[in-house]
Amino acid sequence: MNKNVQAIYEELSATAGLTFIPKQGIAYGSFDGFNVVINGNNGTSPFTPLISFFASCEGEDVSAEECRDIRNGVDGIGDCKPSPEGINITVCMCSGKDKFIGYCMDSLRTGAKFLKDNGYKNACPGCNRDVQAFPRKIGGAYMMVCDDCYKSAVERSKQLKLVDKKERSVLGVLGALIGSVIGAATIILLGHFGYVTAISGLVMAFATLLLYRLFSGKLTIRGGVISLILMIIMTFAAHYVNYSVILENSVSYTGFGFWDAVKALPGYYFKAEFIEFRHQFFGYLWLLYLYVFVGCVPFIVSLFRKKRAENQIATLGKSDEE
């Protein structure tokens, strides 16, 4: 969060009577009797923050219909959704500091009024009690949690780390092999119709990594490397099959079949009359590898990011924060 945006959030926090933490880009505190967190790092822009209210009505959750009633008729509210902790309001994108602060204040007032009018009470999301709470980061989400619930969350996190599933590599390799076969079949099927598309590479990456994770129980760096090696081999194999079929159809010799084409294909790379054939073979092969890479990297990054978020337990503003 740059200094100009930070200054706007500091003014918003002062206007709403909240406390702003620059490092996380969030404001927190009590607004009209309800604990709230304004997350400025919620999405694509700090000017579409997520406002989370923490409330309960005898254990009942806010319904989706009620959230639509909150959203309708309020210019500053872009979206409103129920959560197990209360409600989440996304502020509309706008230009200008004053309008942004106005939208946020309208969202805060509307959310608090709705909760009050419908009998909701301020509550810690862990125990549903109206007790003093502090800003915490639990499982990658910012929320206002009391000390007792925070301690319980820390203990649960420690226990989960102790019983964390071990990677079953042998089963993982089997799963990755099945996934890479699915990807190879997609490449061959689309290649049969004359297409080399991003879909085939994405299917190869997604199926291989997903089935490795399902079979092994988790995806580690070792699992990612094993899956990548299988993807490289099976992508080449599928591409080779496609061009063997092309060679079979292009040779007019009587009795020249598919297996003859498989055996003869390497020799045709060096024939002058097949130079265009060779260029196409390697050109499309590298294109397929590019598609596999495009599908592979975001999937791995999202998995490790999700895993890291699940392990994040911290009190904001303290030295142990992550």
Side-chain angles (χ1 to χ4, degrees):
M1 187 171 283
N2 64 46
K3 291 183 178 180
N4 292 332
V5 176
Q6 181 177 323
I8 294 173
Y9 268 84
E10 288 172 347
E11 185 173 337
L12 167 63
S13 301
T15 304
L18 305 176
T19 301
F20 181 64
I21 305 178
K23 185 172 182 178
Q24 280 80 22
I26 71 161
Y28 73 92
S30 178
F31 184 86
D32 203 9
F34 293 96
N35 288 330
V36 297
V37 170
I38 303 178
N39 183 2
N41 292 315
N42 169 57
T44 57
S45 169
F47 297 107
T48 57
L50 182 71
I51 300 178
S52 298
F53 283 87
F54 302 95
S56 176
C57 182
E58 298 180 354
E60 294 292 328
D61 294 338
V62 181
S63 69
E65 289 78 13
E66 289 175 318
C67 283
R68 282 195 290 270
D69 292 338
I70 297 172
R71 183 182 63 224
N72 292 337
V74 181
D75 291 338
I77 297 179
D79 196 11
C80 181
K81 293 181 178 178
S83 74
E85 297 83 25
I87 57 173
N88 290 324
I89 295 176
T90 303
V91 179
C92 282
M93 170 73 81
C94 65
S95 59
K97 178 190 71 174
D98 293 338
K99 190 172 184 179
F100 169 71
I101 293 176
Y103 273 7
C104 290
M105 293 303 298
D106 288 344
S107 299
L108 286 166
R109 294 188 191 102
T110 302
K113 183 178 185 303
F114 166 82
L115 293 171
K116 275 189 173 183
D117 291 347
N118 288 274
Y120 289 87
K121 305 294 183 184
N122 183 54
C124 166
C127 59
N128 279 333
R129 294 181 299 154
D130 186 3
V131 293
Q132 187 177 20
F134 301 92
R136 325 277 190 177
K137 190 174 187 181
I138 300 177
Y142 295 113
M143 57 184 66
M144 299 288 286
V145 178
C146 70
D147 286 336
D148 290 341
C149 290
Y150 175 66
K151 290 176 183 176
S152 298
V154 172
E155 288 302 316
R156 284 196 301 271
S157 178
K158 291 178 180 178
Q159 292 172 7
L160 286 173
K161 288 179 181 178
L162 290 174
V163 298
D164 193 18
K165 292 186 293 186
K166 292 183 179 180
E167 183 180 22
R168 301 187 296 270
S169 298
V170 175
L171 288 176
V173 171
L174 176 61
L177 183 60
I178 294 172
S180 63
V181 169
I182 294 172
T186 305
I187 292 173
I188 293 172
L189 180 63
L190 293 177
H192 179 72
F193 294 102
Y195 297 110
V196 178
T197 69
I199 294 175
S200 56
L202 293 174
V203 170
M204 171 67 78
F206 183 79
T208 305
L209 291 167
L210 181 63
L211 289 184
Y212 182 97
R213 185 188 179 203
L214 289 176
F215 277 59
S216 71
K218 63 191 300 186
L219 178 64
T220 62
I221 294 176
R222 179 174 61 180
V225 171
I226 292 171
S227 299
L228 182 60
I229 292 172
L230 282 172
M231 282 186 266
I232 291 172
I233 294 172
M234 295 302 287
T235 297
F236 179 84
H239 188 63
Y240 194 96
V241 168
N242 281 339
Y243 269 77
S244 295
V245 173
I246 293 173
L247 180 60
E248 178 191 4
N249 295 331
S250 64
V251 174
S252 57
Y253 303 150
T254 302
F256 189 86
F258 172 75
W259 292 111
D260 297 313
V262 170
K263 296 174 185 177
L265 183 58
Y268 280 84
Y269 296 155
F270 306 102
K271 293 187 176 183
E273 62 269 28
F274 281 84
I275 186 169
E276 184 64 29
F277 181 83
R278 181 169 69 246
H279 288 166
Q280 285 186 4
F281 180 91
F282 287 107
Y284 285 129
L285 177 62
W286 295 125
L287 188 60
L288 273 173
Y289 281 141
L290 175 63
Y291 291 150
V292 170
F293 179 79
V294 168
C296 182
V297 171
F299 187 82
I300 292 177
V301 169
S302 66
L303 280 178
F304 282 102
R305 184 177 293 169
K306 182 179 179 181
K307 184 66 177 176
R308 182 175 182 273
E310 289 173 353
N311 293 330
Q312 286 184 329
I313 305 288
T315 298
L316 306 186
K318 293 189 176 181
S319 58
D320 66 341
E321 66 191 359
E322 295 187 35

